Amino acid sequence: MTRPVFRFAPSPNGLLHLGHAFSALLNARMAEETGGRLLLRIEDTDQTRARPEFVTAIFEDLAWLGFEWERPVRIQSEHVSTYEKNLHTLWSMGAVYPCFCSRKQALASALLSRDPEGQPHYGGTCRRLPRAEAAGRITAGKIHGWRLDTSMDPDASAWGDAVIAKPHVGSSYHIAVVTDDALQGVTHVVRGKDIEAATPLHLLLQQLLGLPRPHYHHHRLIFDDTGGKLSKSRGSTSLRQLREAGATAREIWERLGFT
Ligand code: GLU
C-alpha cells in the first residue's frame, strides 16, 4: 500500500501564529496515525508579500514546536516556470484567458454579484475578446494577467472568473497549490476552513489539468482571546512572541488540544 502524503504549506508573509501551529500539528498527528509522510512547502509565489526572513522564521519556529518534516522543502518561487507551463496548457485548452484590464477597468465592468471574499465578479470584458486579438496583444507585449473561465462550473463560478496569474507574476496561489500537490503526490490536504471556499477552484483546475484529486479536510480555526480570527496581517500573537514570553512547545501543544 502506498503511504498517505500530508503537507503543511504556509506563505511566508509574516510570523507563524497559533492557527498555523494547529494546522501543522494536525497534519503531523494525521501522518503519524496513518503511517504517512509529512512535507513542508513554502508558498511564496506572491513576491510582493513574501519575505526571506519569514521563511527562516518558519523553519525555526516549526523546529522549536517539534514539527518534523521531510527534506528538501519545496519553495514555490523556485518553480514558477512549472506553473507557467500549466497555465499555458490551460490557455491552449481555452480554459483561461489573458486579461488586459487595469484594476480600475475591471472594477468599472464588474457585476453586482460578489465572490466568497466579498469582491465583485469580473464582468468578462476580456473573456469576450477573440482569441487571435488576445494572442496579438500578448505578442505586442501588452501587460496582462490570466483569468480562469469558471462560467461552466457551478461551484467554481462562485468566484467569477478568478485571477490565476497576476501581471508580471506568472502564477498565483491557486495554480501553484494544485500543481505542487500533484507533483509531490499529496494524498491528503488538511488546511483551515478559511481556505475552504477556494477549494472548488482547485478541484476545477485539477479536473482541467488531469491531475489526481487528493482528499480534503478543512479544520476549525483558532481564535484569539477576544474571539477574533488570528491572522498574520493583524499581528496576532506569533509563536515567536509566545516563545519569547516563556511558553514551551509542550504548552502550545496542550493549548491546541494535542497532548
Ligand atoms: N499557503 C496557504 C496559506 O498560508 C495555505 C495553502 C494550503 O494549505 O493549501 O494560507
Side-chain angles (χ1 to χ4, degrees), residues 7 9-11 43 173 177 191 195:
R7 90 304 193 264
S11 300
E43 301 209 318
Y173 159 64
V177 82
R191 60 187 182 188
I195 309 177

Side-chain angles (χ1 to χ4, degrees), residues 7-13 20 23 41-44 76 173 177 181 189-192 194-195 202 216 232:
R7 90 304 193 264
F8 175 56
S11 300
N13 306 335
H20 295 105
S23 207
R41 187 168 70 221
I42 301 295
E43 301 209 318
D44 59 345
Q76 289 190 324
Y173 159 64
V177 82
D181 282 340
V189 172
V190 176
R191 60 187 182 188
D194 52 341
I195 309 177
H202 301 171
Y216 283 91
K232 281 177 283 206

Side-chain angles (χ1 to χ4, degrees), residues 10-246:
S11 300
N13 306 335
L15 292 170
L16 297 182
H17 55 60
L18 281 174
H20 295 105
F22 181 77
S23 207
L25 293 176
L26 185 60
N27 272 285
R29 176 62 55 91
M30 291 174 85
E32 189 189 324
E33 284 176 354
T34 58
R37 296 170 50 206
L38 183 54
L39 311 179
L40 171 65
R41 187 168 70 221
I42 301 295
E43 301 209 318
D44 59 345
T45 50
D46 185 350
Q47 288 284 319
T48 60
R49 299 175 67 205
R51 299 228 303 262
E53 58 269 35
F54 292 133
V55 178
T56 312
I58 286 171
F59 295 145
E60 286 171 9
D61 293 346
L62 288 177
W64 171 75
L65 191 62
F67 178 87
E68 288 173 5
W69 64 92
E70 284 184 16
R71 270 71 167 181
V73 171
R74 188 168 174 90
I75 314 260
Q76 289 190 324
S77 58
E78 294 171 1
H79 300 278
V80 172
S81 62
T82 308
Y83 313 131
E84 281 174 345
K85 225 180 277 164
N86 274 346
L87 189 64
H88 199 264
T89 303
L90 293 167
W91 166 230
S92 59
M93 297 165 60
V96 299
Y97 58 87
C99 180
F100 303 92
C101 294
S102 63
R103 186 184 286 263
K104 217 167 137 191
Q105 287 167 326
L107 269 180
S109 76
L111 308 177
L112 290 176
S113 48
R114 288 177 183 265
D115 72 20
E117 285 177 354
Q119 300 301 316
H121 286 156
Y122 175 61
T125 316
C126 290
R127 176 168 6 106
R128 293 185 284 273
L129 275 182
R131 196 179 165 89
E133 163 72 21
R137 288 196 198 176
I138 294 175
T139 312
K142 292 250 180 323
I143 293 169
H144 60 281
W146 292 87
R147 290 182 183 270
L148 178 62
D149 182 350
T150 59
S151 57
M152 302 303 281
D153 187 277
D155 295 316
S157 59
W159 289 96
D161 285 356
V163 173
I164 60 163
K166 290 186 195 162
H168 309 297
V169 176
S171 71
S172 77
Y173 159 64
H174 299 302
I175 194 155
V177 82
V178 297
T179 302
D180 283 354
D181 282 340
L183 271 177
Q184 296 189 287
V186 170
T187 58
H188 292 71
V189 172
V190 176
R191 60 187 182 188
K193 280 219 178 286
D194 52 341
I195 309 177
E196 190 165 18
T199 301
L201 282 177
H202 301 171
L203 300 183
L204 175 58
L205 287 169
Q206 284 157 358
Q207 190 192 322
L208 290 164
L209 291 165
L211 303 175
R213 173 179 294 193
H215 298 283
Y216 283 91
H217 172 67
H218 295 96
H219 60 70
R220 70 182 174 92
L221 299 179
I222 303 298
F223 295 96
D224 63 20
D225 294 339
T226 62
K229 199 187 130 195
L230 297 173
S231 91
K232 281 177 283 206
S233 41
R234 292 217 322 248
S236 301
T237 313
S238 62
L239 293 182
R240 184 148 299 209
Q241 282 170 313
L242 292 166
R243 180 174 88 208
E244 282 165 6

